[in-house]
Amino acid sequence: MNLHSPDVQVTDSDLALTYLKEGNARFVNDTPMPRDTNKKDLELTKEAQKPFAAILTCADSRTTPEIFFDQKIGDLFVLRNAGNVADTSVLGSLEFGVEHLGVAVVVVVGHTMCGAVHTSHAGATGLSDNLQAVLDGIRPHISCDGGKEDATLENTQRQVDVLKANATIAKVPVLGANYDIATGEVTWL
C-alpha cells in the first residue's frame, strides 16, 4: 500500500512508478487504500504540493488518474485534454512539474475508446475550429492502416516522444501507458 505522505518529496522514479502500479492493482481489485486521511492530507498540502508523478491523460470523464491509480490529494500533478495532446500549455505545465514541484516520473496515459483519437482516425472534418485543431493535431501522427485502438497507442507514443524531446521534462523518466475503461487496468507501453 502507498504509505506516501503528501508532505514528503519522492525523488526515486522507480518508487514513484511502484506507487502507480500498486495503486492501479488496488483499483482493479476493488481494494482501495483507506480514505480517512483527507483532512490530514489537506492540512499537509495547504502550504505546498509535492506530487511524485505527473500524468498527462485525456479529458474523458472516465479517465481520472487519482482514482484509477488510487492516489491521494497531493500525490499526482495531472494535466488533461482531449486526446492527451502535449501542446504548449501541457509542455509548460510539465516543465513546472519537473523543475519546481520535483515530480519523479511523467506518464502519458491514453485510453481505450478515446473519442478524440477515434474521431481523428476517421478523418472527421467540419467541426468547430478549436475541436478541428485538436483532431488535426492528432491525425498526422497516427496510422490510417491500423484500427482505432492501434491509433490510440500510436498517439500515446507520439506524445511520449514529444515530451522526451523537451530537455526539461526529459530530466525524469517519461513513460506511456494505456487505460482500459472496461477493466480499469493500466497497461504500460
Side-chain angles (χ1 to χ4, degrees), residues 8-50:
V8 175
Q9 188 71 54
V10 173
T11 58
D12 182 322
S13 59
D14 290 333
L15 180 59
L17 188 57
T18 296
Y19 284 161
L20 294 175
K21 289 179 177 180
E22 288 177 351
N24 183 244
R26 287 191 305 272
F27 176 72
V28 169
N29 293 318
D30 202 21
T31 56
M33 73 173 96
R35 295 290 177 214
D36 60 355
T37 63
N38 288 341
K39 291 207 184 288
K40 178 182 176 191
D41 293 343
L42 287 171
E43 182 64 28
L44 292 172
T45 59
K46 73 180 181 182
E47 299 294 328
Q49 59 176 317
K50 296 181 181 179

Side-chain angles (χ1 to χ4, degrees), residues 4 9 12 15 20 62 145 149 152 159 175 182 186 188:
H4 173 251
Q9 188 71 54
D12 182 322
L15 180 59
L20 294 175
R62 301 166 291 181
D145 299 334
E149 295 305 329
T152 298
Q159 305 314 317
L175 307 170
V186 172
W188 296 89

Side-chain angles (χ1 to χ4, degrees), residues 92-103 166-169 171-172:
S93 297
L94 289 173
E95 288 172 357
F96 178 77
V98 170
E99 281 293 308
H100 300 285
L101 299 179
V103 298
N166 180 293
T168 300
I169 297 168
K171 291 177 181 177
V172 300

Side-chain angles (χ1 to χ4, degrees), residues 99-170:
E99 281 293 308
H100 300 285
L101 299 179
V103 298
V105 65
V106 174
V107 183
V108 179
V109 183
H111 68 95
T112 58
M113 302 301 294
C114 181
V117 175
H118 291 189
T119 302
S120 181
H121 182 267
T125 59
L127 303 167
S128 71
D129 291 347
N130 293 322
L131 180 54
Q132 193 67 57
V134 170
L135 300 182
D136 290 348
I138 294 171
R139 185 145 174 80
H141 307 291
I142 58 175
S143 169
C144 293
D145 299 334
K148 295 183 289 189
E149 295 305 329
D150 290 338
T152 298
L153 297 175
E154 290 172 347
N155 180 58
T156 300
Q157 186 57 55
R158 166 65 181 159
Q159 305 314 317
V160 167
D161 293 343
V162 168
L163 298 182
K164 284 182 174 181
N166 180 293
T168 300
I169 297 168

